[in-house]
Amino acid sequence: MIPLLEKAHFAPLTEMEQNILTYFENNLSSAVYMNLEELSRELYTSNATIVRFCKKLGLNGFNEFKYQLKKELSESNPMSLSSDDLLKQSLATFRDNIDSLNFRDLEDIKDLLISSRPLYIYGTGLSCTPARYLQNALTNLDRSCILIEFTDLLESVTYNIKDDAILFVITTHGDALRYMQIFENAKQHGTTVILITCEEESPLLPYSMYSIVTNDINRCYKNTDINSRIGILTVIQILIEMIAYELPGKP
Amino acid sequence: MVILNLDDTTIKNLSANELAVLRFIYDNILEVPDMSIHELAQRISYSTSTIIRFCKKLGFSGFSEFKYALRSEIQKTSLPEEFSRNILNSKIITDSLYTDIEATSHLLSEDLLNATFQYLNSDTPIYLWSPGGLTSVLIDYLEMLLFASGRQNVYKILTTKTANHIVRSLSQDSILFIISATGSYAPTIKLAKLANMNQVPVISITPYTNNTIAGLSTVSFRFFANQRENNGAEYTSRLPIFYTIYMIMKNYLKMKELRGSQ
């Protein structure tokens, strides 16, 4: 229960003001985002009535009432963050991810990506987003490469892969075992493997010549993968920027 | 490559504005020694005091001394020093990346998010316009995240002709979702106009600059990024747009979880 609304029950309210209170109690999560006009229309009352209601609770006006309500709402449920907090927190996570990157490795990876060796980029499920993004951007930067979005196809490619090939694998999967055969094939053929993941303990790390581990968190919503991979996308963007720097005409 | 007293510590001490000055100077290294401080300030839209502060941080008494050093370094045509060059590049890259994301994040207001959630929470069909190329990767990302978070009735449109056909006959009880990295792609503008004529609400993500699509949108998200292309092949960073989509979906899921627990 929200203390402010509880307190309101003890205030001497008119019938209309009582309606306002009831409305807030029943529609709390949406009502805190309404403006004064919307609310007065919804309640068939005047702005002045609502403001009077707020003043009876000892507040200066409607905005202060909303602010107080939002504050108490987030305090009453510590799991909930206001969207402002969520924005700040996400920005901090984004920064942390950048700060933890090893730029020496990224330089080496960039050099591999701009070499003329055959390049395969793999990502499936939501990881196909960073894979496609990289492949599209590289193409626009005059680097031809091959995008693979299916695990089976990747496996069949690795049976005949050349030793000068580069395999760029993006996976957040906890179940890395399904890639074991692929990574072993690549190793046998002497293929250079670059792994981008967010699994610190991934068993694929020892099989990869270069690996970047981001701070994305594997999350599910109703058993569906909902990991946004924003950390991985950031790494991809940094690589694209590094490659763009190598374009003729740049210092 | 001219080094100019740059080492890791000096670079780390530069503010985002000063880094932008540095970047401009490196991009135009042959022109800068012939510019006056006012010309430079005008070109980069920073004040002359920012430039002077920048020169001082690099250990020069002012802009003139800086120019002198720059000129003599250019004449020496010293060999590139890979290491400090790499530090500089990665610092410039990550700083401008972060600046773009931070600025984009500041534009994500609660009101915009809530206006979007009103549509996401309804059963109203959402049409996603996928114009091809890099922007289509964003649309696919949005589509997957919408489905994964339980939103149904999401339809992707893949070609201009189909899009015009569909939007022309859409009812007002539908939503058109548009992403434009440049804000100036003609087929996308045409589609936004068509939707507007039929009073179909448009949610868009477009650059922070003045653009037609944003003006036609019911809910308009904006992002910061420099427009770039390689002889016609455009590669403007999509990271700020990815970030916007990520924040919309993160807030949306948060809201759903809150509702579920109430």
Side-chain angles (χ1 to χ4, degrees):
Chain A
M1 193 60 212
I2 310 294
L4 183 65
L5 297 181
E6 221 162 338
K7 186 177 138 199
H9 279 284
F10 297 100
L13 298 179
T14 65
E15 197 180 328
M16 192 58 233
E17 288 162 355
Q18 193 63 51
N19 285 350
I20 300 174
L21 178 59
T22 315
Y23 183 82
F24 268 98
E25 283 175 334
N26 295 338
N27 306 283
L28 194 54
S29 54
S30 60
V32 290
Y33 297 113
M34 286 175 136
N35 64 34
L36 195 53
E37 281 72 32
E38 284 168 342
L39 189 67
S40 56
R41 215 177 311 132
E42 187 73 25
L43 288 165
Y44 302 104
T45 181
S46 69
N47 293 359
T49 311
I50 298 171
V51 173
R52 216 164 24 239
F53 165 77
C54 300
K55 290 199 168 157
K56 277 199 184 167
L57 301 181
L59 301 160
N60 277 322
F62 184 62
N63 282 317
E64 194 181 335
F65 174 70
K66 274 207 298 192
Y67 174 80
Q68 187 66 24
L69 211 53
K70 275 187 212 168
K71 200 174 134 217
E72 289 182 8
L73 192 62
S74 61
E75 277 164 4
S76 73
N77 188 349
M79 282 300 288
S80 89
L81 287 165
S82 75
S83 69
D84 191 43
D85 289 338
L86 203 57
L87 288 176
K88 281 184 195 144
Q89 181 211 39
S90 306
L91 210 52
T93 315
F94 180 86
R95 180 89 241 187
D96 286 345
N97 182 52
I98 292 183
D99 288 345
S100 71
L101 294 175
N102 179 341
F103 277 88
R104 234 166 251 233
D105 281 356
L106 283 171
E107 282 287 337
D108 291 347
I109 295 172
K110 174 214 68 185
D111 289 337
L112 285 170
L113 292 183
I114 54 177
S115 69
S116 51
R117 295 163 58 180
L119 172 61
Y120 298 86
I121 300 170
Y122 167 81
T124 192
L126 267 168
S127 290
C128 81
T129 298
R132 276 185 207 165
Y133 182 52
L134 180 63
Q135 194 257 351
N136 263 286
L138 285 179
T139 307
N140 284 355
L141 292 165
D142 306 319
R143 166 56 151 130
S144 313
C145 49
I146 298 159
L147 175 67
I148 300 179
E149 299 188 19
F150 300 100
T151 319
D152 292 349
L153 187 59
L154 178 70
E155 185 171 334
S156 79
V157 165
T158 55
Y159 284 110
N160 306 303
I161 201 161
K162 299 252 176 58
D163 62 347
D164 65 341
I166 301 161
L167 197 57
F168 190 101
V169 177
I170 304 171
T171 172
T172 60
H173 221 282
D175 170 30
L177 290 175
R178 60 178 186 158
Y179 292 117
M180 237 17 170
Q181 184 64 50
I182 292 166
F183 275 64
E184 265 166 19
N185 289 348
K187 197 175 185 179
Q188 271 174 23
H189 288 89
T191 307
T192 305
V193 178
I194 304 166
L195 175 69
I196 313 281
T197 183
C198 61
E199 283 286 321
E200 263 174 72
E201 312 268 301
S202 171
L204 302 175
L205 290 171
Y207 287 84
S208 316
M209 183 178 275
Y210 292 101
S211 52
I212 304 276
V213 183
T214 66
N215 66 354
D216 292 300
I217 294 165
N218 278 325
R219 283 191 58 204
C220 282
Y221 178 75
K222 297 192 173 157
N223 297 324
T224 312
D225 177 13
I226 194 91
N227 178 348
S228 70
R229 290 154 172 82
I230 199 74
I232 293 180
L233 287 162
T234 308
V235 170
I236 301 291
Q237 189 64 47
I238 291 173
L239 287 169
I240 294 171
E241 302 291 327
M242 287 176 149
I243 293 164
Y245 252 76
E246 306 279 324
L247 280 181
K250 287 280 173 188
Chain B
M1 184 68 184
V2 178
I3 308 297
L4 284 175
N5 301 346
L6 285 173
D7 58 31
D8 200 26
T9 345
T10 317
I11 293 172
K12 277 189 177 144
N13 274 328
L14 297 179
S15 71
N17 289 353
E18 289 156 359
L19 272 171
V21 176
L22 182 61
R23 189 174 190 166
F24 178 87
I25 291 171
Y26 269 109
D27 283 348
N28 303 277
I29 202 141
L30 295 174
E31 291 172 50
V32 173
D34 296 325
M35 286 184 188
S36 74
I37 188 165
H38 292 288
E39 280 166 347
L40 179 62
Q42 211 167 17
R43 286 280 298 276
I44 55 181
S45 328
Y46 287 118
S47 65
T48 47
S49 49
T50 305
I51 298 173
I52 292 171
R53 214 163 29 238
F54 162 81
C55 297
K56 289 197 168 155
K57 279 197 186 170
L58 262 58
F60 300 103
S61 61
F63 186 61
S64 303
E65 194 188 339
F66 171 78
K67 275 203 298 190
Y68 176 79
L70 193 62
R71 214 174 275 132
S72 63
E73 286 251 12
I74 293 169
Q75 275 162 4
K76 266 193 278 169
T77 56
S78 52
L79 281 172
E81 231 238 75
E82 280 300 323
F83 184 62
S84 69
R85 181 186 159 205
N86 288 346
I87 299 178
L88 174 66
N89 281 357
S90 54
K91 171 78 179 156
I92 289 179
I93 286 171
T94 54
D95 263 56
S96 74
L97 213 69
Y98 183 72
T99 311
D100 282 348
I101 295 295
E102 195 182 22
T104 304
S105 170
H106 286 318
L107 297 179
L108 284 164
S109 72
E110 213 160 299
D111 290 344
L112 275 179
L113 291 170
N114 284 308
T116 310
F117 298 158
Q118 268 188 6
Y119 291 116
L120 294 186
N121 283 328
S122 65
D123 282 332
T124 317
I126 302 177
Y127 290 86
L128 306 176
W129 162 233
S130 178
L134 284 170
T135 302
S136 280
V137 181
L138 294 161
I139 290 289
D140 292 347
Y141 180 64
L142 175 64
E143 184 192 26
M144 279 188 276
L145 289 180
L146 281 171
F147 282 138
S149 51
R151 180 56 157 95
Q152 305 284 325
N153 291 337
V154 179
Y155 309 99
K156 190 161 65 184
I157 319 175
L158 291 165
T159 73
T160 316
K161 282 185 180 168
T162 313
N164 288 336
H165 172 79
I166 288 179
V167 173
R168 213 172 282 137
S169 51
L170 276 187
S171 83
Q172 292 171 18
D173 192 25
S174 5
I175 302 149
L176 181 64
F177 204 116
I178 288 177
I179 297 175
S180 174
T182 58
S184 62
Y185 185 55
T188 305
I189 294 180
K190 194 181 162 199
L191 210 58
K193 283 186 176 157
L194 209 54
N196 220 241
M197 243 157 49
N198 292 341
Q199 290 172 300
V200 175
V202 175
I203 302 178
S204 69
I205 307 180
T206 63
Y208 69 98
T209 46
N210 225 341
N211 70 75
T212 323
I213 297 167
L216 294 167
S217 305
T218 324
V219 181
S220 161
F221 289 96
R222 301 297 196 99
F223 69 90
F224 280 88
N226 290 327
Q227 306 288 331
R228 289 176 310 190
E229 61 164 55
N230 170 28
N231 292 327
E234 176 261 339
Y235 68 98
T236 302
S237 165
R238 300 309 199 266
L239 192 63
I241 312 182
F242 276 121
Y243 195 81
T244 305
I245 296 175
Y246 152 68
M247 284 316 299
I248 295 174
M249 296 313 293
K250 191 172 183 178
N251 276 282
Y252 179 57
L253 277 174
K254 187 98 222 167
M255 189 208 65
K256 285 188 89 159
E257 278 168 9
L258 276 179
R259 290 203 162 178
S261 65
Q262 261 172 21

